[in-house]
Amino acid sequence: MPPKNHDLHGNAPDMAPVALLIIDMISDFEFEDGERLFAQALPVAQHLAVLKRRCKAAAIPVIYVNDNWGRWQSNLEKLVHYVVETPTRGAPIARLLAPEADDYFVLKPKQSGFFATTLETLLRYLETRLLILTGVAGDICVLFTANDAYMRDFMLVVPEDCVASVDAEANQRALLHCRRVLRADLTPSQALDLAALRRQAQAPAE
């Protein structure tokens, strides 16, 4: 890997072997099946808010990977302001998971967080090897992102209580796919040993 140019990367940490990805949770949920997805996503947001605090305390960076809603002018501040101030169905979740100044934000145009985004560049700069994937929808954007992450040789943790889909059965099938095909760890968020995950990510590759 070439030496890092610190002048080009702001205050990004030198190394973050583990990163938490929050996928599409900043949303108005004002779309077809949005009410059903919101009902599934709200308890996920409550678990995820706790996991986010634990990750930040363990120096694990948080990366919001969010849909651009078909507008390339979108940015995180505008999205949060719109969702919370309009108000929209998704306002309670946006308040629970309000991004902080040291969080990262990646805007995505399609289902996968890797497609036509800066996510891979950011993760390689951070030297990240293990991703904790969370968010909605489990059977669409989380699954597409997990597939692309696996193809890039990232280790995966997909806490089963931090992922939701419109249909609970479809969500469970997606989680089982992640475990069976993508070798993902589905341990619930409250049982995750973040220090052990860091050690796993820092271990020499076999």
Side-chain angles (χ1 to χ4, degrees), residues 110 129 150 168 181:
K110 302 291 277 185
R129 296 181 60 201
Y150 180 74
V181 179

Side-chain angles (χ1 to χ4, degrees), residues 26 30-31 34 46 50 54 101 103-104 113 117 122 140 168 171 188 196:
I26 305 301
E30 301 286 351
F31 46 79
Q46 293 163 344
V50 176
R54 290 182 57 212
D103 294 333
Y104 297 98
T117 77
L122 172 61
I140 305 175
N171 194 68

Side-chain angles (χ1 to χ4, degrees), residues 30-149:
E30 301 286 351
F31 46 79
E32 184 178 0
D33 285 331
E35 185 173 4
R36 292 177 61 198
L37 182 57
F38 175 80
Q40 302 284 345
L42 184 56
V44 161
Q46 293 163 344
H47 293 301
L48 187 46
V50 176
L51 177 60
K52 179 184 174 182
R53 289 196 294 271
R54 290 182 57 212
C55 283
K56 293 180 80 79
I60 293 173
V62 178
I63 305 172
Y64 287 79
V65 181
N66 224 88
D67 190 79
N68 70 355
W69 297 356
R71 301 180 181 88
W72 281 107
Q73 296 93 344
S74 301
N75 62 52
L76 187 57
E77 184 178 355
K78 286 182 180 179
L79 290 178
V80 173
H81 183 270
Y82 165 71
V83 171
V84 171
E85 299 298 332
T86 302
T88 69
R89 183 181 289 128
I93 289 178
R95 293 191 187 100
L96 271 173
L97 298 176
E100 298 167 87
D102 57 346
D103 294 333
Y104 297 98
F105 177 60
V106 173
L107 197 66
K108 66 182 179 69
K110 302 291 277 185
Q111 291 86 351
S112 172
F114 287 92
F115 179 78
T117 77
T118 58
L119 180 59
E120 185 169 7
T121 300
L122 172 61
L123 293 173
R124 298 217 177 277
Y125 178 78
L126 297 175
E127 299 182 37
T128 301
R129 296 181 60 201
L130 188 151
L131 301 178
I132 305 173
L133 299 183
T134 66
V136 296
D139 60 340
I140 305 175
C141 294
V142 176
L143 181 58
F144 276 63
T145 302
N147 284 327
D148 279 357

